[in-house]
């Protein structure tokens, strides 16, 4: 079909940012930051620039402060050297015609004392994330998976300080040349540890009632609006109906409908919904997706095991505005061209997903066509 007929290749305005297509490269941890210092580098810049044909790129999760780090070799957006590294990434991506948001990340309890200079991870509550492993660095340059350490509960003044850290991280991202920021509020990380009833045992203003459990999300979202200076340049990633990394909610449809309504009132630009992405995963109910559309007036992005035809259906039915393709973007830097033409996709090499060098990051073959800008 022609681009005029193909919903994947219709332009879209995200606030004042024009996207040439509806294809999003979602955040994916790749653990290639330079050591010491967890600094973005030239290799990462080349990786993102190769994929600039996406309508929008969201960077891998980048931790906002030392206690926010949860995995080896992941980049921060905290030090001057880290900001300088991210400027390489944004400049290369923009030079290739792309648009890129920074995903801001605090993992909370999903960390290990070896990554935190001996400190305990922090969370809403001192509840261990049972059965959850994080990866730490081995001397041979490969990750080793170890159980997450038991966290301690944050004091209220510490929660306020983390809100301030998110605000500063948004300022840092804009100073480093990003087009906007996305809050990682999904997959069992710190925001999720406040939202989900099974992870939040607090009895103060940040726990108990649904309004209280959403308070931290709302305060951080508002801080990101202040930090970027433009609410349309703020997105929030949520995982409403998955139970990743030990976070479970008693009534997730009610909880996340209320979260979407709150974010709509704050006026953020988009919500990025992470669906289950494993083989044979159940589809998220359409009526829930339509309810989110009713309560949130902004842009809705969905990601999770989408192929081209499923993505086109989502766009035609109107409950999604943009679609994220995760693992396909790992192995197909020219993914938009392949989706346009129906070309066969490269398969990713699982052994090169986390850590290493250029192999499995920037050496996947393309079709030899000029990237679509």
């Amino acid at each position: 079909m022609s681009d005029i007929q193909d919903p994947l290749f219709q332009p879209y305005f995200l606030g004042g940012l024009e996207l040439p297509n509806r294809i999003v490269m979602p955040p994916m941890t790749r653990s290639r930051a330079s050591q010491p210092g967890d600094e973005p580098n030239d290799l990462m810049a080349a990786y993102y620039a190769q994929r600039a044909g996406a309508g929008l790129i969201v960077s891998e999760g980048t931790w906002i402060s030392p206690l926010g780090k949860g995995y080896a070799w992941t980049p921060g957006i905290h030090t001057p050297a880290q900001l300088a590294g991210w400027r390489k990434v944004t400049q290369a991506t923009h030079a290739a015609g792309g648009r890129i948001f920074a995903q801001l990340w605090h993992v909370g309890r999903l960390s290990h004392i070896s990554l935190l200079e001996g400190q305990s991870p922090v969370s809403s509550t001192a509840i261990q994330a049972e059965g959850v492993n994080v990866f730490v660095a081995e001397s041979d340059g490969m990750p080793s998976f170890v159980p997450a350490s038991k966290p301690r509960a944050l004091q209220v003044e510490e929660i306020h300080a983390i809100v301030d850290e998110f605000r500063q991280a948004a300022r840092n991202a804009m100073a480093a040349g990003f087009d906007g920021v996305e809050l990682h509020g999904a997959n069992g990380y710190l925001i999720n540890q406040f939202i989900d009833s099974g992870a939040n045992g607090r009895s103060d203003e940040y726990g108990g009632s649904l309004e209280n459990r959403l308070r931290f999300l709302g305060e951080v979202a508002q801080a990101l609006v202040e930090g970027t200076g433009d609410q349309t340049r703020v997105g929030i990633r949520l995982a409403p109906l998955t139970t990743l990394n030990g976070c479970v909610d008693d009534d997730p449809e009610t909880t996340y409908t209320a979260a979407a309504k709150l974010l709509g009132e704050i006026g953020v630009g988009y919500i990025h919904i992470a669906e289950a992405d494993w083989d044979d995963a159940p589809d998220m109910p359409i009526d829930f997706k339509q309810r989110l559309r009713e309560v949130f007036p902004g842009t809705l992005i969905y990601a999770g095991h989408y192929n081209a035809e499923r993505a086109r259906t989502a766009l035609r039915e109107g409950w999604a505005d943009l679609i994220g393709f995760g693992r396909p973007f790992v192995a197909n830097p020219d993914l938009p061209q392949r989706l346009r033409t129906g070309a066969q996709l490269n398969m990713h090499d699982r052994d090169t997903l986390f850590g290493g060098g250029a192999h499995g990051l920037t050496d996947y073959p393309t079709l030899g066509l000029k990237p679509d800008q």
Side-chain angles (χ1 to χ4, degrees):
M1 71 183 76
S2 71
D3 283 2
I4 295 174
Q5 298 172 309
D6 190 342
L8 275 175
F9 290 92
Q10 298 300 304
Y12 187 82
F13 280 91
L14 183 61
L17 187 66
E18 183 176 5
L19 314 183
N21 59 57
R22 307 298 183 96
I23 299 165
V24 175
M25 177 178 166
M28 292 177 287
T29 296
R30 303 306 308 274
S31 293
R32 261 52 170 214
S34 293
Q35 303 303 313
D38 294 323
E39 297 161 11
N41 51 45
D42 292 336
L43 181 63
M44 291 168 59
Y47 166 72
Y48 286 109
Q50 285 181 341
R51 289 154 179 80
L56 177 67
I57 294 172
V58 185
S59 81
E60 61 208 276
T62 180
W63 43 268
I64 63 166
S65 64
L67 268 182
K69 179 182 176 181
Y71 301 88
W73 315 307
T74 53
I77 194 160
H78 177 66
T79 69
Q82 289 165 354
L83 267 64
W86 280 122
R87 285 190 195 97
K88 294 180 182 179
V89 172
T90 61
Q91 288 169 0
T93 303
H94 290 149
R99 297 133 300 273
I100 184 167
F101 276 36
Q103 192 188 60
L104 304 181
W105 197 20
H106 194 306
V107 303
R109 70 185 186 180
L110 300 182
S111 191
H112 189 265
I113 58 173
S114 68
L115 297 166
L116 305 176
E117 297 184 350
Q119 297 184 73
S120 295
V122 296
S123 187
S124 61
T125 314
I127 300 174
Q128 178 92 32
E130 296 293 342
V132 176
N133 292 328
V134 299
F135 61 86
V136 299
E138 293 288 351
S139 58
D140 62 359
M142 295 300 291
S144 174
F145 288 84
V146 297
S149 300
K150 185 173 181 179
R152 64 173 181 83
L154 287 160
Q155 300 298 313
V156 169
E157 58 270 20
E158 293 179 298
I159 296 172
H160 296 164
I162 290 174
V163 173
D164 291 340
E165 289 173 347
F166 271 110
R167 184 183 295 103
Q168 184 59 49
R171 291 175 180 147
N172 291 349
M174 302 309 282
F178 282 100
D179 297 299
V181 300
E182 177 180 291
L183 171 65
H184 200 336
N187 298 0
Y189 297 116
L190 183 62
I191 301 293
N192 219 165
Q193 293 159 33
F194 278 82
I195 295 174
D196 285 1
S197 58
N200 186 338
R202 301 181 74 94
S203 57
D204 59 12
E205 64 266 40
Y206 290 97
S209 70
L210 177 54
E211 180 183 8
N212 284 355
R213 288 186 284 113
L214 294 177
R215 190 180 308 280
F216 184 49
L217 168 67
E219 289 177 352
V220 172
Q222 184 60 47
L224 298 185
V225 170
E226 294 163 4
T228 59
D230 183 349
Q231 60 194 25
T232 69
R233 299 302 178 97
V234 175
I236 313 289
R237 194 169 212 216
L238 300 174
L241 305 186
T242 60
T243 55
L244 288 174
N245 293 324
C247 271
V248 180
D249 189 78
D250 290 337
D251 186 1
E253 292 200 17
T254 298
T255 294
Y256 283 92
T257 301
K261 185 173 185 294
L262 171 64
L263 294 171
E265 291 166 354
I266 293 169
V268 302
Y270 71 77
I271 296 176
H272 185 175
I273 301 293
E275 296 185 66
D277 65 353
W278 53 88
D279 291 337
D280 300 323
D283 287 339
M284 184 177 287
I286 292 293
D287 62 345
F288 176 62
K289 293 176 176 177
Q290 291 170 337
R291 203 173 316 140
L292 294 179
R293 174 63 87 190
E294 290 168 5
V295 301
F296 182 72
T299 296
L300 287 169
I301 304 173
Y302 282 84
H305 218 52
Y306 280 85
N307 57 28
E309 207 45 55
R310 187 170 173 237
R312 291 181 175 112
T313 298
L315 296 171
R316 289 191 182 106
E317 291 183 353
W319 44 263
D321 299 300
L322 305 169
I323 299 292
F325 296 83
R327 280 171 284 193
F329 253 123
V330 169
N332 298 275
D334 55 351
L335 182 66
Q337 289 73 30
R338 291 174 187 264
L339 295 177
R340 174 185 277 122
T341 62
Q344 185 174 352
L345 301 185
N346 304 319
M347 295 303 295
H348 69 276
D349 178 358
R350 291 180 59 87
D351 292 337
T352 62
L353 288 177
F354 306 113
H359 177 52
L361 190 78
T362 58
D363 61 351
Y364 283 104
T366 68
L367 292 171
L369 302 178
K370 182 179 179 182
D372 173 54
Q373 303 296 330

